[in-house]
C-alpha cells in the first residue's frame, strides 16, 4: 500500500495526472463487471483526479470503507427490489443503522436514492410504495439526527415527461401525475433535489437525421429558441433540465432543485447506434465539464449552476443490452482514460504501477546505500 501511495505521488508531481481543481461534479460508479480495480485503487484514482462526488447503485460497504476520511461525497441507493421493505419504518430504521450510521461522519454520505426510474416501468405497486418508502427513510434519518446531513430522493428517467418541447411547455405524464404531485410536496418539505437521468445521446440515436449533433454535443450551433419565453438553448441537456422545471411549476413548485443524476455518451456502439464514438463521447463529456467549470445555469435558471453526475467511471463489461451500454466509462478497468477530457493523460494509471514501483524501489535502495556509506565514513 505504501508503494501504491508513492506511485500516486509520482503521478501527481510528474504531471501524469491533470487535476480538475475546483471543478464540482460527480461520477456514477457502477460495478457490473468482472475486471474492475480494487476499491482502494478506485479511491486513489478518484482523489487523484479531484472528483468530489460519487454515486453508487447500492450500499457497497467495502466502497464506503475505502473512501473513509476523504472529501468525496456519496449518493447511496436502495434498489427497486428493496423499496417495498422500506415502507415499514422498523425495516427502514434497521437499514439506516446497518448501511448509513456506521460510516458517518468518516465517509461523507449526503444522499440516499430510493429506487431508480420507478415511473418508467409498469409496476404500479412499486410506484405506490415509492413515496411511503422515502418517507420512512426520512423519518429514520430524523430519529438518528441525520436529516440535516443526508437527504432522500429518487432518480427519474425523462420518460416521466409527456412533453419536453419547447422547454417552457414541459409537463408530466398524466398516468404518473398522481404519484409525482405528492412526491414534489415531499421534496419541497424536506428541501431535497429532484433527480433526473438525462441522455441527449438517446434523442440523437433515435433521430439522427433531425437532431443536430452539435446541439447535443455542446458544440457551436444556431440554437433553439423557445417561442413562449424567447430563451435560446444552445444544447439539449439544458432544454431537458428546464422542461422538468416547467413541469414542476405546473404542479405548483418552483423551489425544488433539479439535478442530473446520470448523463453521458458512449464511446462505442452497435451499427444501429449512430453517434456512439470516442470522438463524440469526448466532445460531450469534455464540453459538459467546461460548462460546469463556468458555474453555468440553464436559460430558465441562470443563477442555479448545473449539478451533474457523469455516467460512468468505468466501462462495465457485464452490462446487458447493446454495445453502448458497456462503453459509457471515462476509464478502462486498468485506469487508463478511454479518451482525454483533461482528467488524466492517456498513459495507463494502474498498469504503470509496476514500472513506477520498481523505480521507487531502486531509489530507496540507492538512498539506503548512500546513508550507509555516509555513516561508515563518519565512524571510520
Amino acid at each position: 500500500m505504501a508503494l501504491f501511495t508513492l506511485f500516486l505521488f509520482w503521478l501527481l508531481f510528474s504531471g501524469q495526472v491533470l487535476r480538475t481543481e475546483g471543478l464540482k461534479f460527480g461520477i456514477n460508479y457502477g460495478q457490473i463487471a468482472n475486471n474492475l480495480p480494487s476499491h482502494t485503487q478506485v479511491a486513489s484514482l478518484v482523489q487523484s483526479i479531484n472528483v468530489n462526488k460519487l454515486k453508487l447503485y447500492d450500499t457497497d460497504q467495502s466502497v464506503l470503507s475505502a473512501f473513509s476520511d476523504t472529501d468525496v461525497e456519496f449518493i447511496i441507493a436502495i434498489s427497486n427490489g428493496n423499496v417495498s421493505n422500506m415502507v415499514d419504518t422498523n425495516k427502514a430504521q434497521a437499514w439506516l443503522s446497518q448501511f448509513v450510521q456506521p460510516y458517518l461522519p468518516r465517509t461523507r454520505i449526503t444522499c440516499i436514492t430510493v429506487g431508480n426510474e420507478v415511473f418508467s416501468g409498469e409496476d404500479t405497486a412499486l410506484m405506490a410504495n415509492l413515496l411511503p418508502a422515502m418517507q420512512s427513510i426520512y423519518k429514520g434519518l430524523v430519529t438518528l439526527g441525520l436529516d440535516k446531513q443526508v437527504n432522500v430522493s429518487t432518480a427519474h428517467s425523462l420518460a416521466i415527461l409527456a412533453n419536453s418541447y419547447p422547454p417552457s411547455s414541459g409537463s408530466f405524464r398524466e398516468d404518473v401525475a398522481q404519484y409525482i404531485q405528492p412526491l414534489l410536496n415531499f421534496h419541497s418539505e424536506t428541501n431535497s433535489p429532484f433527480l433526473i437521468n438525462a441522455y441527449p445521446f438517446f434523442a440523437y440515436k433515435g433521430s439522427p437525421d433531425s437532431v443536430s449533433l452539435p446541439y447535443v454535443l455542446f458544440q457551436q450551433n444556431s440554437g433553439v429558441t423557445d417561442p413562449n419565453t424567447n430563451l435560446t438553448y444552445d444544447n439539449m441537456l439544458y432544454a431537458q433540465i428546464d422542461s422538468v422545471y416547467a413541469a414542476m411549476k405546473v404542479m405548483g413548485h418552483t423551489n425544488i432543485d433539479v439535478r442530473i443524476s446520470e448523463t453521458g455518451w458512449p464511446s462505442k456502439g452497435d451499427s444501429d447506434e449512430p453517434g456512439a464514438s470516442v470522438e463524440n463521447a469526448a466532445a460531450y463529456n469534455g464540453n459538459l465539464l467546461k460548462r460546469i467549470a463556468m458555474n453555468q445555469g440553464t436559460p430558465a435558471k441562470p443563477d442555479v449552476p448545473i449539478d451533474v453526475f457523469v455516467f460512468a467511471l468505468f466501462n462495465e463489461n457485464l452490462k446487458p443490452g447493446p454495445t453502448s451500454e458497456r462503453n459509457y466509462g471515462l476509464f478502462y478497468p486498468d485506469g487508463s482514460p478511454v479518451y482525454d477530457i483533461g482528467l488524466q493523460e492517456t498513459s495507463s494509471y494502474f498498469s504503470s504501477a509496476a514500472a513506477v514501483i520498481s523505480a521507487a524501489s531502486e531509489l530507496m535502495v540507492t538512498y539506503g546505500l548512500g546513508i550507509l556509506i555516509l555513516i561508515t565514513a563518519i565512524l571510520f
Side-chain angles (χ1 to χ4, degrees):
M1 186 64 191
L3 289 177
F4 186 79
T5 302
L6 182 59
F7 168 53
L8 286 177
F9 277 112
W10 176 81
L11 282 172
L12 291 173
F13 292 107
S14 68
Q16 294 302 306
V17 174
L18 304 179
R19 293 174 64 86
T20 51
E21 197 71 48
L23 191 56
K24 303 297 183 183
F25 75 105
I27 299 181
N28 285 272
Y29 179 17
Q31 300 183 73
I32 306 177
N34 61 6
N35 58 354
L36 298 181
S38 71
H39 301 315
T40 301
Q41 288 177 313
V42 172
S44 299
L45 171 62
V46 167
Q47 291 178 89
S48 76
I49 59 177
N50 206 38
V51 168
N52 69 326
K53 295 186 291 186
L54 280 184
K55 178 170 166 284
L56 301 181
Y57 293 89
D58 51 26
T59 51
D60 191 321
Q61 293 168 295
S62 60
V63 174
L64 297 177
S65 296
F67 280 86
S68 179
D69 298 320
T70 70
D71 291 328
V72 179
E73 298 179 6
F74 271 89
I75 294 178
I76 61 174
I78 294 170
S79 68
N80 288 356
N82 201 23
V83 167
S84 61
N85 289 327
M86 296 300 104
V87 175
D88 184 324
T89 55
N90 291 327
K91 291 181 179 179
Q93 190 74 52
W95 186 89
L96 290 168
S97 297
Q98 180 178 357
F99 294 108
V100 177
Q101 191 177 24
Y103 299 97
L104 294 171
R106 296 186 66 183
T107 300
R108 299 183 62 192
I109 299 171
T110 60
C111 180
I112 300 168
T113 56
V114 181
N116 184 58
E117 299 188 351
V118 168
F119 300 125
S120 298
E122 298 179 354
D123 189 338
T124 55
L126 177 61
M127 295 179 191
N129 284 331
L130 179 61
L131 179 57
M134 293 171 67
Q135 291 170 328
S136 290
I137 290 293
Y138 179 73
K139 289 176 183 176
L141 290 170
V142 172
T143 299
L144 294 172
L146 299 175
D147 55 298
K148 305 301 181 185
Q149 189 174 344
V150 183
N151 61 47
V152 180
S153 190
T154 186
H156 305 278
S157 161
L158 279 176
I160 61 172
L161 295 179
N163 185 50
S164 61
Y165 180 81
S168 61
S169 296
S171 61
F172 294 113
R173 291 181 359 232
E174 289 186 10
D175 62 311
V176 299
Q178 61 178 311
Y179 305 111
I180 296 290
Q181 180 70 73
L183 184 64
L184 292 176
N185 295 341
F186 171 83
H187 284 303
S188 180
E189 292 165 3
T190 62
N191 193 32
S192 55
F194 192 84
L195 303 181
I196 285 290
N197 299 337
Y199 289 88
F201 167 71
F202 293 147
Y204 181 78
K205 173 184 171 180
S207 304
D209 294 330
S210 58
V211 175
S212 165
L213 187 59
Y215 180 63
V216 294
L217 294 180
F218 301 94
Q219 295 173 332
Q220 187 168 353
N221 63 90
S222 58
V224 176
T225 300
D226 187 320
N228 300 323
T229 61
N230 287 324
L231 295 175
T232 299
Y233 291 82
D234 66 356
N235 70 84
M236 181 176 285
L237 182 65
Y238 286 11
Q240 291 174 332
I241 294 172
D242 280 350
S243 67
V244 176
Y245 276 121
M248 292 196 300
K249 186 176 181 179
V250 171
M251 290 193 164
H253 290 281
T254 58
N255 65 335
I256 301 170
D257 286 342
V258 174
R259 299 179 187 173
I260 300 299
S261 44
E262 286 184 24
T263 192
W265 198 283
S267 59
K268 185 178 180 182
D270 294 320
S271 58
D272 61 348
E273 296 187 287
S277 69
V278 168
E279 295 75 18
N280 289 340
Y284 183 83
N285 286 318
N287 289 331
L288 175 58
L289 292 188
K290 291 177 183 177
R291 301 294 183 109
I292 294 171
M294 295 165 62
N295 288 320
Q296 195 174 69
T298 65
K301 294 279 187 176
D303 297 326
V304 181
I306 56 173
D307 193 320
V308 174
F309 280 79
V310 173
F311 187 85
L313 186 57
F314 295 109
N315 283 342
E316 298 171 71
N317 68 338
L318 297 182
K319 288 197 75 173
T323 297
S324 61
E325 287 296 315
R326 294 175 289 282
N327 289 277
Y328 274 92
L330 299 178
F331 293 91
Y332 293 111
D334 68 355
S336 61
V338 178
Y339 42 83
D340 183 12
I341 55 174
L343 294 178
Q344 185 180 0
E345 290 185 356
T346 55
S347 58
S348 173
Y349 186 85
F350 297 124
S351 63
S352 299
V356 176
I357 289 172
S358 176
S361 299
E362 291 179 11
L363 179 62
M364 292 168 69
V365 170
T366 301
Y367 179 76
L369 288 174
I371 292 294
L372 181 61
I373 292 170
L374 180 59
I375 292 173
T376 302
I378 292 174
L379 292 178
F380 300 100

